[in-house]
Amino acid sequence: MREIPLIGHYDVDDVLAWDQEGPRTVRRFLADAASLAESLPDRSTVLNLATNRYDFLVGFAAAIMRRQMTLLPQSRASQTLLRIAGEFSGSYALTDRGDAIEGIDSVSIQLRGDQALWPMDIPRIPTDRVVAVAFTSGSTGRPMPNKKTWGALTAVAQATGARLGIKAGDRLSVVATVPHQHMFGLEASVMLPIMHGLAMHAGRPLFPADIRSMLADAASRWMLVTTPLHLRACVSESISIPPGGLILSATAPLPRNLAQQAEEHFQAEVHEIFGFAEAGSIAERRTIDGDRWQPLEGVHVAQDASSCLVQAWYLPTPVPVPDRITVDTDGTFVVHGREADQVNVAGHRISLGDLNQLLLKIDGVQDGVFFLPEEGASLVTRLMAFVVAPGKTSEEIQRTLRAYVDPVFMPRPLVCVPSLPRNATGKLPRESVSELARQWLEREGDGA
Amino acid sequence: MEQSGASLLERDLAKLIVQTLKLKIDPAAIEPEAALFGEGLGLDSIDALELSLAISQTYGYQLKSSDPQIKTIFSSLRALAEAIEKNRTK
């Protein structure tokens, strides 16, 4: 079986990560990971909940060394974590802030950096080993596991780097606003750097001023891994950063005029990745060049009458694309929008069916439906929900719901109604919900 | 609920929060000392980002999460107003 080293294109004294506490060299990282690996419990799966990117990487590497699969929950909502831990029994949680997750054994990530372990070899990992499991929301109301082999993660990192023109020895400094537990975050802010000898910032900036100071601190040419939301905030604040960097955006389509503004203002190329948790990153484009997506090396997108499938050597079976796309004869494709059941809020994708199921499980809720209104002027358009729950207040339902869903999917507002406009067959057509939302917004005003 | 002893800046800020985040509440109902995020108004990090842009445009104060006080600053309407008062450039 083919093996690929845990990290590539570094010298032992190269900086692998940095933050306000200083640089972490490759030597230090390997010692931290080996030392943590020795202290991990003997289990087969681990929920890595570290908020610091370096801690996360140390935990991920230690788990790989111990042949443990890292579970990547879509959210930290307590019920989501418990459900995943229930499906992968014997799971424990790795945390880096002393957080304890009720109902799940937790181990705190200790960075011992035991120098005595040096010299050590960089571990080589078989490409067919499952190292991570990403979860997606299906229509069943249960998180669906998507297993990722070391071969898949490294192949995507190599193909992405090749497409962006990143060469070994470029030593880019990577700052990311995306969480490393998300598929794009794992691929672009963790795997891409460690396969190309790049340095990553251990933090996760939120405000434009944070992004500016981290990029200004970068010891070499910077790369910003981000989303349309954060990029819009940076452009709107006109932050000033050293020119000549590289911006990589994903999770939602980036409007071309925003990409144009960012390219001009930051003197940086803006590239986008198209992907989804089931297949990982599959295509790239420089946004100002046009709508067409160019599949990554090794990826083939095939269209038949009813669906589009992604094929790659590292995917065990072809994976359906969750968006409506049209594939050209040269293999490039255009994305038209989401499949009907899927919504994207602030870069997080979820199935409306899944959300509706969660709503119906709440005690006292007789009927309920989520709805995503047309985009407005704010950075993010939030979901609404209409609920039939006599005797319950919307605050009570919201409080319960908060334990089950990521905060971005919390409905604003959650409206209690006497009944939903179901048709004779009991179905709830989208048009009827849309009309309900329109009437409600008209009555209540849009708040602005 | 009345805003007991809310300052002028606190009242303006409450209006800015409600407007920016399109909350369906009366600005006067935001208690100066009550939590804004998590259990309080239930705001999240995207709200914090939207709010930071509005605060920057209105008061010329750019929020930073590397600011050691950031948790305190966002803890309540009152704390946020105090930080703005101290750092505002317009």
Side-chain angles (χ1 to χ4, degrees):
Chain A
M1 173 45 62
R2 209 172 144 232
E3 292 178 337
I4 294 177
L6 181 64
I7 53 174
H9 303 291
Y10 290 101
D11 288 328
V12 289
D13 292 313
D14 282 344
V15 174
L16 182 139
W18 90 98
D19 63 12
Q20 66 280 2
E21 284 164 30
R24 321 282 156 75
T25 61
V26 167
R27 187 190 299 274
R28 169 76 199 263
F29 162 70
L30 290 171
D32 279 339
S35 163
L36 179 66
E38 281 188 359
S39 70
L40 292 182
D42 215 4
R43 309 274 182 91
S44 55
T45 47
V46 53
L47 282 149
N48 188 333
L49 304 176
T51 50
N52 177 288
R53 211 173 302 267
Y54 177 74
D55 293 353
F56 172 85
L57 174 60
V58 169
F60 183 47
I64 290 175
M65 290 175 185
R66 288 289 301 274
R67 302 185 176 218
Q68 299 180 0
M69 284 193 287
T70 295
L71 308 177
L72 304 163
Q74 331 88 301
S75 91
R76 293 179 72 99
S78 57
Q79 294 302 320
T80 303
L81 299 181
L82 283 172
R83 200 182 291 188
I84 290 174
E87 300 220 351
F88 289 82
S89 60
S91 296
Y92 66 103
L94 265 181
T95 65
D96 63 348
R97 289 194 304 192
D99 310 353
I101 315 296
E102 214 180 302
I104 306 175
D105 294 343
S106 298
V107 172
S108 159
I109 296 174
Q110 304 289 335
L111 301 177
R112 292 214 181 77
D114 195 345
Q115 296 293 332
L117 288 167
W118 198 258
M120 63 175 287
D121 292 329
I122 292 174
R124 298 179 65 83
I125 320 299
T127 51
D128 65 347
R129 188 185 297 168
V130 174
V131 293
V133 182
F135 292 87
T136 43
S137 102
S139 48
T140 57
R142 276 172 48 184
M144 304 291 291
N146 300 274
K147 293 185 174 176
K148 303 293 169 184
T149 61
W150 183 243
L153 293 182
T154 51
V156 167
Q158 301 293 5
T160 305
R163 178 61 57 77
L164 296 174
I166 298 171
K167 289 182 245 5
D170 272 1
R171 309 288 300 125
L172 297 178
S173 299
V174 181
V175 170
T177 63
V178 292
H180 35 264
Q181 277 97 351
H182 271 242
M183 208 48 212
F184 171 62
L186 178 70
E187 290 180 324
S189 76
V190 177
M191 291 303 300
L192 179 73
I194 64 173
M195 286 298 117
H196 293 84
L198 313 183
M200 68 175 80
H201 195 288
R204 187 180 151 209
L206 172 64
F207 302 121
D210 298 322
I211 297 172
R212 180 199 59 214
S213 71
M214 287 182 193
L215 295 178
D217 271 358
S220 56
R221 184 184 175 216
W222 54 261
M223 172 173 177
L224 177 64
V225 177
T226 192
T227 72
L229 175 69
H230 294 88
L231 199 55
R232 183 178 294 286
C234 287
V235 167
S236 127
E237 287 284 83
S238 294
I239 59 168
S240 104
I241 44 182
L246 175 62
I247 295 170
L248 188 63
S249 172
T251 70
L254 185 61
R256 199 182 305 174
N257 64 349
L258 177 57
Q260 184 80 48
Q261 287 171 350
E263 288 224 359
E264 284 165 11
H265 184 81
F266 304 124
Q267 298 288 300
E269 285 190 13
V270 178
H271 293 258
E272 265 183 285
I273 288 289
F274 178 81
F276 44 99
E278 293 89 333
S281 302
I282 63 164
E284 174 273 352
R285 70 180 176 191
R286 183 171 175 188
T287 318
I288 60 166
D289 287 344
D291 293 339
R292 306 208 72 81
W293 294 93
Q294 182 84 41
L296 295 175
E297 186 69 38
V299 173
H300 180 68
V301 185
Q303 185 161 32
D304 64 22
S306 60
S307 66
C308 283
L309 294 170
V310 182
Q311 296 161 338
W313 68 264
Y314 51 80
L315 296 172
T317 54
V319 181
V321 179
D323 296 78
R324 287 179 292 111
I325 68 173
T326 312
V327 186
D328 208 343
T329 46
D330 64 359
T332 63
F333 59 89
V334 178
V335 178
H336 305 291
R338 296 173 297 269
E339 287 295 349
D341 183 53
Q342 301 283 324
V343 292
N344 188 317
V345 181
H348 299 255
R349 181 165 61 90
I350 200 164
S351 130
L352 281 176
D354 190 356
L355 283 172
N356 295 341
Q357 292 284 335
L358 287 171
L359 208 48
L360 295 176
K361 279 188 193 145
I362 295 176
D363 204 27
V365 171
Q366 295 175 354
D367 202 357
V369 65
F370 272 83
F371 177 73
L372 185 67
E374 294 294 313
E375 278 181 30
S378 39
L379 283 175
V380 171
T381 302
R382 301 281 186 161
L383 290 162
M384 306 172 74
F386 295 94
V387 178
V388 182
K392 287 262 185 183
T393 66
S394 62
E395 287 76 20
E396 286 169 331
I397 302 165
Q398 298 250 26
R399 209 174 303 133
T400 313
L401 200 55
R402 200 167 283 145
Y404 289 89
V405 303
D406 192 277
V408 299
F409 300 124
M410 286 298 291
R412 301 236 185 121
L414 186 149
V415 185
C416 287
V417 290
S419 66
L420 291 179
R422 291 195 179 271
N423 65 19
T425 58
K427 287 205 168 68
L428 195 54
R430 198 193 129 79
E431 299 70 44
S432 310
V433 185
S434 174
E435 178 59 21
L436 189 65
R438 196 190 60 75
Q439 285 173 5
W440 190 87
L441 287 169
E442 204 174 79
R443 203 163 54 239
E444 300 293 322
D446 66 358
Chain B
M1 281 194 288
E2 273 300 307
Q3 277 170 308
S4 41
S7 72
L8 190 60
L9 178 60
E10 282 167 7
R11 266 177 256 158
D12 285 348
L13 187 57
K15 275 185 217 148
L16 185 71
I17 292 173
V18 167
Q19 256 174 31
T20 305
L21 305 180
K22 297 196 161 60
L23 301 176
K24 303 290 177 217
I25 53 169
D26 178 1
I30 301 180
E31 284 288 320
E33 305 275 356
L36 292 174
F37 288 78
E39 283 301 301
L41 284 183
L43 306 185
D44 60 21
S45 68
I46 294 155
D47 295 310
L49 183 57
E50 295 223 39
L51 207 48
S52 79
L53 297 182
I55 289 170
S56 167
Q57 274 154 24
T58 312
Y59 302 107
Y61 168 35
Q62 290 194 339
L63 286 154
K64 268 183 91 165
S65 50
S66 51
D67 186 329
Q69 303 297 317
I70 190 71
K71 282 233 157 65
T72 321
I73 291 173
F74 266 120
S75 65
S76 67
L77 183 64
R78 179 148 294 160
L80 189 55
E82 275 169 19
I84 290 171
E85 191 58 61
K86 215 181 318 170
N87 296 287
R88 65 189 294 176
T89 57
K90 53 183 173 184

